[in-house]
Amino acid sequence: MSANASSPIGVFDSGIGGLTVVRALMERLPFENIVYFGDTARVPYGVKSVETIAHFTTQIAQFLLEKDVKLLVIACNTMAAVAAQVVKDLSPVPVLDVIDAGAVAARGGKRIGVIGTPTTINSNAYARAIHDHAPDSRIHSQACALFVPLVEEGWLDHEVTRLTAQEYMKPLLAEHIDTLVLGCTHYPLLKPLLREVVGKDVALVDSAEAMAEQVAAVLTDRHLANPGPAAPRYDFYVTDVPLRFQTIGERFLGRTLNNVHVVKW
Ligand code: DGL
């Protein structure tokens, strides 16, 4: 069967972090069916090699294409940083990635800070993507390896997280950034704390929200938007159900997590 307006959007991530993107999609596009894949058995990707990430990413994209998705969304910044092209090469349906979405949203900035996992930052993918849209901007990047575990621990408004954020933001603030791109699935949950640390004059770019806008535009453009009004179906495929999965997942999604299926690879 070929994809049409009622086909689901396929969203994938290294684990449950990509649920921040699903949440933004649910809010922006309430009639769309969504199939999510989170590689919870092999997360985190943010410290793995490019070869390994490309291999895992291919496997996941193929799984979702078999579900007849009409669009693929790479919700994971780390996968988008090193394996977006791999997915684009194999996919017959459009592929959108969070890095491109974040870069488009950041294009108004002149001195742009980017934060992400070590693999994302080392790849320089954000700097390249931002320069494509804003060639005159200056980009200052900072890997924030400790943010993912702190968010998963639920320490969203905790002194340890605040001190960690102050430390990570120091070099960026010294460069007087006017924009900060949250280049990781987990960072939207730190928005209130980061806002406190960087002050009110720095624009925060949430790549999950930016992605929802891009998806909406592409679906309209290709006449693939689901007009509704039937309630959408949401399915969540994961490779493992780790400890506290439900609690953490629901924190990311902002609602109850149902229809969870475990894929044994
Ligand atoms: N999803 C990853 C990202 O957006 C964070 C978690 C991981 O390291 O796998 O970069």
Side-chain angles (χ1 to χ4, degrees), residues 49-258:
S49 71
V50 172
E51 291 71 27
T52 301
I53 296 168
H55 172 63
F56 292 171
T57 305
T58 306
Q59 228 179 341
I60 298 168
Q62 276 161 347
F63 177 92
L64 285 174
L65 287 170
E66 279 165 24
K67 301 267 171 229
D68 278 325
V69 294
K70 61 183 174 186
L71 183 76
L72 277 176
V73 172
I74 310 179
C76 177
N77 291 258
T78 304
M79 288 197 224
V82 300
Q85 198 52 48
V86 175
V87 183
K88 287 174 186 163
D89 288 345
L90 68 83
S91 174
V93 300
V95 178
L96 297 180
D97 76 75
V98 268
I99 293 194
D100 188 58
V104 171
R107 68 181 182 274
K110 289 273 169 273
R111 288 180 304 279
I112 304 174
V114 178
I115 53 176
T117 64
T119 302
T120 298
I121 297 304
N122 289 340
S123 75
N124 255 329
Y126 261 108
R128 279 197 305 273
I130 293 172
H131 268 147
D132 284 348
H133 298 287
D136 297 333
S137 60
R138 295 196 53 165
I139 295 154
H140 305 280
S141 306
Q142 173 71 42
C144 303
L146 296 175
F147 278 170
V148 165
L150 287 168
V151 169
E152 296 206 350
E153 192 60 28
W155 289 7
L156 307 180
D157 183 27
H158 191 287
E159 211 34 40
V160 169
T161 314
R162 191 165 287 104
L163 287 172
T164 308
Q166 283 165 354
E167 201 60 34
Y168 282 144
M169 293 311 123
K170 229 184 251 171
L172 299 178
L173 292 173
E175 297 292 347
H176 304 288
I177 55 164
D178 53 32
T179 305
L180 179 68
V181 179
L182 312 184
C184 173
T185 46
H186 288 54
Y187 302 174
L189 278 80
L190 292 176
K191 248 202 256 179
L193 184 137
L194 288 169
R195 164 61 65 218
E196 253 178 60
V197 173
V198 301
K200 62 175 180 14
D201 295 332
V202 175
L204 297 183
V205 173
D206 177 339
S207 33
E209 283 172 7
M211 173 53 89
E213 284 311 318
Q214 264 203 2
V215 171
V218 170
L219 292 182
T220 307
D221 208 43
R222 299 194 178 223
H223 308 290
L224 277 175
N226 193 332
R233 182 174 170 90
Y234 303 131
D235 282 287
F236 302 92
Y237 291 87
V238 291
T239 44
D240 188 24
V241 177
L243 225 55
R244 296 171 53 233
F245 170 77
Q246 202 73 21
T247 320
I248 301 175
E250 290 178 359
R251 189 180 299 138
F252 279 90
L253 194 62
R255 63 171 86 184
T256 323
L257 191 53
N258 296 315

